[in-house]
């Protein structure tokens, strides 16, 4: 799979905007980390492919990746029922020494 097809789009919501601005200092059990950013990714992409794609496209250092597969919602239109598409969400945690994606874009 091509790196540029791995990431479909960034998810911009109130929650993801808040999480991107938070960073945490190191503790005994966890290393120093920057903010987290959310993306819609290809359904077949694994965590390593997502990490490589974010590092290559945005030029940042990724600490870890969390993924979740989202099921489509059932919808009704007139007299028919249907289901919206299924999609995969990835939450990417950056290293503290890495610039944030917002800084790179603006």
């Amino acid at each position: 799979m091509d790196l540029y097809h791995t990431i479909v789009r960034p998810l911009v919501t109130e929650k993801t905007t808040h999480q991107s601005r938070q960073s945490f200092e190191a503790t005994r059990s966890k290393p120093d980390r920057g903010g987290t950013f959310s993306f819609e990714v290809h359904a077949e992409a694994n965590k390593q492919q997502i990490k490589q794609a974010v590092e290559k496209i945005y030029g940042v250092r990724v600490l870890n990746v969390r993924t979740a597969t989202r099921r489509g919602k059932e919808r009704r239109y007139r007299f028919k029922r249907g289901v919206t598409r299924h999609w995969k969400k990835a939450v990417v945690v950056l290293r503290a020494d890495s610039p944030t994606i917002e800084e790179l874009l603006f």
Side-chain angles (χ1 to χ4, degrees):
M1 182 183 316
D2 183 24
L3 289 176
Y4 294 98
H5 288 96
T6 303
I7 296 177
V8 177
R9 67 186 175 105
L11 297 175
V12 181
T13 62
E14 289 183 23
K15 181 177 181 178
T16 59
T17 304
H18 175 70
Q19 288 177 340
S20 68
R21 294 193 175 132
Q22 280 188 323
S23 61
F24 296 94
E25 296 178 10
T27 61
R28 288 184 200 176
S29 60
K30 294 187 178 181
D32 216 14
R33 71 180 177 104
T36 61
F37 294 88
S38 299
F39 299 95
E40 180 182 345
V41 295
H42 193 276
E44 299 295 321
N46 60 30
K47 291 181 181 186
Q48 289 298 322
Q49 292 170 336
I50 295 167
K51 180 179 178 179
Q52 291 172 356
V54 171
E55 288 179 345
K56 174 83 173 176
I57 293 170
Y58 294 105
V60 294
R61 306 264 325 259
V62 175
L63 186 64
N64 67 9
V65 178
R66 299 187 301 262
T67 59
T69 304
R70 308 298 305 229
R71 293 193 49 189
K73 295 182 180 180
E74 189 174 299
R75 297 288 186 215
R76 204 175 73 188
Y77 179 71
R78 294 194 180 183
F79 299 108
K80 298 188 183 213
R81 291 185 180 265
V83 178
T84 59
R85 65 186 181 87
H86 306 308
W87 57 285
K88 191 171 192 176
K89 174 182 177 180
V91 179
V92 177
V93 180
L94 301 182
R95 292 176 50 141
D97 58 350
S98 174
T100 64
I101 293 174
E102 292 172 339
E103 292 174 0
L104 297 171
L105 294 178
F106 300 110

